[in-house]
Amino acid sequence: MSESLPTSSKLIQTRRQSMDNTLVDKLSSSGPLAEKLKCPVCLDVFIDPVSTPCGHTFCKSCLNQCWDTSRECKCPICNETFSKRPDLKINTALRQVAQLFEEKFNLRKLEVLCDICHDVKLKALKSCLVCQTSYCETHLEPHQRVPSLRKHKLMDPVKDIKDYICQKHERPLELFCRDDQTYVCVFCTDGDHKTHNTAALEEESKEKKTQLMKTQKDVQQMIEDKTKKIQDIEHSAELRKKSTEQEKAASVELCTALMRSIERCQTELLEMMEEKQKAAEKQEEKLIQELQQELTELKMRNSELDHLLHIEDHLHLLQIYPFLYSLPHTRNWSEISMNTDVSVETLKRALTQLQETLDEKLSETVLRRMQQHAVDVTLDPDTAHPYLILSDDGKQVRHGDTEHELPNNPERFDNCVCVLGKEGFSSGKFYFEVLVKEKTAWDLGVAIESINRKGLISARPQYGFWTVALWNENDFRAHADPSVSLSLRVKPQKVGVFVDYEEGLVSFYDVETRSHIYSFTGQSFTEKLYPLFSPCRNNEGKNSAPLIISPVNYNA
């Protein structure tokens, strides 16, 4: 015989099984919550719990037994007396929690037993919704043989079969009222639910199952999204860890190089000071010798003069007077000065050399860190000025001699000879390099998506541009407000552009010399940033070389 209400049985079983498992996990056979699930009369877990008007809960049989043996109907706990015996209703939710508690700690045998067996009750095989009885395999045999009994509605054995029966009409609950969202029997549709929208439990279950399948699909998609997010975070963490290790290695390399530079400068400084000291001592010794020799000669002249001043031989005095009258010839010592600041000047030169070495090493390290955020930039032909010529791979742009017939779409520059990169960036850090070799004029940087692309353009930060430029071969400028003239030691051949979106930083570097060109700091970005390129006008072939987006060479 086919089972009559398989779907309704599963619905109710599913409802029971969907009880919050966390509640069960929190239960303890001796904890405070467990005490709330025990009857104050029998001190055992509730069976068919009911509540009195005063709010206390007991097993239905325990409370009825108390009232059957007493003249008054009063609460066994607070002794509140009731003038009329209350109509007790089973608290089904509390009963389910109690059953879950029993299952958790195996406090009572929960298997359904045959209602017909007398001495030794066997395990029930099926429950009959018409008979409202559970049968073992032996006692179920008539339901499989007798024609009238074969029409009864059988289901998997359940302990509380009354939950599957309409309490008003004593008929199986085989319909679902969609208006009231409750289970009803066929007789209910002739009474309170006569005009309501009802459906067979199997039909409603099928529809709900379809909805559950959609929900499950959404949940699975959420699981996939969360899993993907976890993978992305783990990947980012791995990249960050790798980047940190690289930065640590670069920092160690930098510190080591700086220490070596300092040691070398210190050694050279000491050697130079030692050499200067020896040279000074040698010079001093020579000068002292000359002075001592002159001093000896002067002392001799002084003695001769003293002798002549005391002689009476006038003829002799007059004869030697021409030789002794004039002062002896000596060196002009007023022109001789000792350089006492030799070591200071040497120290200044050494410190200057050391500072240049430090700047070079620091710039190299900073540039290497920026290069770790290199991105692949391709030119967007939809934004290119009609005079610009782009290479097939989108990596080069130069100014041509003729205007191309192109649609004047909103994205295209129509006056300034510019072109943007295809991809924009709204977070994080990115870096790219551009070869500007052999050009006499160019303009590079980034711009926001909403910049003005028609007519005259003022390339300033307040208008969404952050660029540096070369004008007239050697005039380097940063388009700040006002414009900043840049003094560069050498003419850049390749320019690196670095952006830190969150920090509001746009920096430009000379890649070949690894030196800093200019930085816009403290900016506030709220839109996507796009790489911007302008090869500038051809200038009768003098500026015909292209701007070339170059792959980043980390080992250069």
Side-chain angles (χ1 to χ4, degrees), residues 26 28 77 115 137 175 212 224 259 303 357 416 438 481 556:
K26 292 180 181 179
S28 170
I77 294 181
D115 294 328
E137 184 177 7
L175 298 173
L212 290 175
E224 293 178 4
M259 291 176 64
S303 298
T357 303
C416 293
E438 300 179 359
D481 189 21

Side-chain angles (χ1 to χ4, degrees), residues 77-285:
I77 294 181
C78 65
N79 292 323
E80 181 177 344
T81 303
F82 312 112
S83 58
K84 181 181 178 181
R85 187 162 180 165
D87 183 16
L88 301 175
K89 302 293 183 181
I90 297 176
N91 187 332
T92 56
L94 183 57
R95 180 173 62 184
Q96 290 169 1
V97 174
Q99 289 175 350
L100 285 171
F101 181 75
E102 290 177 343
E103 294 174 3
K104 179 73 175 178
F105 297 101
N106 297 319
L107 299 179
R108 187 180 292 116
K109 191 174 182 179
L110 297 179
E111 64 181 14
V112 180
L113 301 179
C114 178
D115 294 328
I116 307 301
C117 294
H118 294 290
D119 297 333
V120 179
K121 288 188 174 292
L122 300 179
K123 183 178 179 180
L125 183 62
K126 294 290 181 180
S127 293
C128 177
L129 291 175
V130 177
C131 303
Q132 300 185 30
T133 305
S134 297
Y135 300 101
C136 65
E137 184 177 7
T138 300
H139 293 114
L140 182 65
E141 187 272 336
H143 279 75
Q144 298 172 336
R145 176 176 47 85
V146 178
S148 60
L149 295 179
R150 292 181 63 181
K151 297 179 181 180
H152 287 192
K153 302 180 186 300
L154 299 178
M155 60 180 295
D156 290 336
V158 292
K159 182 177 180 61
D160 300 304
I161 198 170
K162 289 185 293 184
D163 289 343
Y164 300 80
I165 304 299
C166 176
Q167 299 299 311
K168 183 176 182 180
H169 302 107
E170 295 293 324
R171 299 289 295 177
L173 296 170
E174 49 189 340
L175 298 173
F176 183 77
C177 178
R178 291 172 174 170
D179 294 342
D180 294 338
Q181 292 292 301
T182 187
Y183 309 103
V184 297
C185 70
V186 292
F187 288 170
C188 292
T189 59
D190 293 331
D192 297 338
H193 301 268
K194 184 175 182 178
T195 60
H196 291 185
N197 180 16
T198 59
L201 287 180
E202 290 84 353
E203 179 184 347
E204 185 68 18
S205 175
K206 183 177 180 180
E207 182 176 332
K208 290 293 190 291
K209 188 176 291 185
T210 301
Q211 296 174 358
L212 290 175
M213 289 175 62
K214 182 179 181 303
T215 301
Q216 183 185 35
K217 184 178 180 181
D218 294 340
V219 170
Q220 289 174 346
Q221 183 62 48
M222 293 174 65
I223 292 173
E224 293 178 4
D225 293 343
K226 302 299 181 185
T227 303
K228 177 64 168 55
K229 189 64 177 179
I230 291 174
Q231 293 173 347
D232 291 343
I233 294 174
E234 291 176 344
H235 181 63
S236 298
E238 184 178 349
L239 292 179
R240 185 182 66 255
K241 181 179 179 181
K242 183 178 179 180
S243 176
T244 300
E245 293 298 327
Q246 292 175 344
E247 290 184 0
K248 287 169 61 179
S251 299
V252 172
E253 181 182 352
L254 173 62
C255 292
T256 302
L258 292 178
M259 291 176 64
R260 289 175 180 172
S261 299
I262 293 173
E263 291 174 356
R264 183 175 67 254
C265 291
Q266 183 183 28
T267 301
E268 293 175 356
L269 176 61
L270 293 176
E271 290 176 353
M272 291 173 62
M273 294 179 67
E274 186 68 25
E275 290 176 0
K276 293 292 183 180
Q277 179 68 20
K278 290 180 179 180
E281 290 177 354
K282 187 175 181 179
Q283 181 187 18
E284 292 166 356
E285 183 179 352

Side-chain angles (χ1 to χ4, degrees), residues 409-516:
N409 50 287
E411 297 84 7
R412 191 179 307 281
F413 292 92
D414 66 355
N415 185 59
C416 293
V417 286
C418 297
V419 60
L420 297 179
K422 282 186 177 181
E423 184 178 0
F425 303 86
S426 57
S427 64
K429 305 172 184 176
F430 63 94
Y431 173 87
F432 59 93
E433 294 179 352
V434 183
L435 192 67
V436 297
K437 187 177 181 180
E438 300 179 359
K439 292 196 65 63
T440 60
W442 48 261
D443 205 330
L444 289 175
V446 295
I448 59 176
E449 187 173 15
S450 63
I451 54 171
N452 177 31
R453 309 185 192 195
K454 307 299 182 182
L456 295 177
I457 294 175
S458 179
R460 297 287 186 269
Q462 59 265 41
Y463 302 114
F465 294 84
W466 293 267
T467 63
V468 296
L470 168 64
W471 296 348
N472 302 325
E473 296 192 38
N474 295 303
D475 185 5
F476 292 95
R477 293 182 176 274
H479 291 311
D481 189 21
S483 179
V484 178
S485 179
L486 304 176
S487 178
L488 305 181
R489 291 182 298 176
V490 294
K491 186 177 181 179
Q493 303 297 303
K494 185 186 291 185
V495 176
V497 182
F498 173 78
V499 176
D500 188 332
Y501 194 96
E502 283 72 22
E503 289 295 327
L505 171 69
V506 182
S507 291
F508 300 84
Y509 271 78
D510 183 337
V511 178
E512 300 297 332
T513 63
R514 301 190 180 281
S515 58
H516 178 248

Side-chain angles (χ1 to χ4, degrees), residues 320-477:
I320 63 174
Y321 173 80
F323 301 100
L324 298 179
Y325 171 74
S326 60
L327 294 174
H329 177 73
T330 61
R331 188 172 183 175
N332 185 5
W333 291 98
S334 62
E335 298 177 355
I336 306 299
S337 62
M338 301 303 298
N339 187 2
T340 59
D341 297 329
V342 173
S343 60
V344 175
E345 293 299 325
T346 302
L347 178 60
K348 288 182 178 179
R349 288 196 298 270
L351 290 176
T352 300
Q353 179 183 355
L354 177 59
Q355 184 63 48
E356 292 177 353
T357 303
L358 293 177
D359 291 342
E360 180 181 351
K361 293 293 183 182
L362 287 171
S363 296
E364 180 177 354
T365 300
V366 170
L367 183 59
R368 284 185 178 178
R369 289 183 179 178
M370 291 180 177
Q371 289 176 330
Q372 301 300 318
H373 302 282
V375 294
D376 184 19
V377 176
T378 304
L379 301 174
D380 184 358
D382 292 337
T383 66
H385 185 278
Y387 268 90
L388 294 182
I389 301 174
L390 277 59
S391 61
D392 293 338
D393 62 359
K395 298 296 182 181
Q396 300 185 27
V397 58
R398 63 184 177 88
H399 186 271
D401 295 323
T402 58
E403 182 177 2
H404 298 85
E405 293 185 3
L406 298 172
N408 188 20
N409 50 287
E411 297 84 7
R412 191 179 307 281
F413 292 92
D414 66 355
N415 185 59
C416 293
V417 286
C418 297
V419 60
L420 297 179
K422 282 186 177 181
E423 184 178 0
F425 303 86
S426 57
S427 64
K429 305 172 184 176
F430 63 94
Y431 173 87
F432 59 93
E433 294 179 352
V434 183
L435 192 67
V436 297
K437 187 177 181 180
E438 300 179 359
K439 292 196 65 63
T440 60
W442 48 261
D443 205 330
L444 289 175
V446 295
I448 59 176
E449 187 173 15
S450 63
I451 54 171
N452 177 31
R453 309 185 192 195
K454 307 299 182 182
L456 295 177
I457 294 175
S458 179
R460 297 287 186 269
Q462 59 265 41
Y463 302 114
F465 294 84
W466 293 267
T467 63
V468 296
L470 168 64
W471 296 348
N472 302 325
E473 296 192 38
N474 295 303
D475 185 5
F476 292 95
R477 293 182 176 274

Side-chain angles (χ1 to χ4, degrees), residues 297 300-302 304-305 308 315-329:
E297 293 177 357
M300 292 176 61
R301 174 66 64 89
N302 185 59
E304 292 177 357
L305 291 172
L308 290 175
L315 178 62
H316 179 67
L317 175 64
L318 294 173
Q319 289 176 341
I320 63 174
Y321 173 80
F323 301 100
L324 298 179
Y325 171 74
S326 60
L327 294 174
H329 177 73

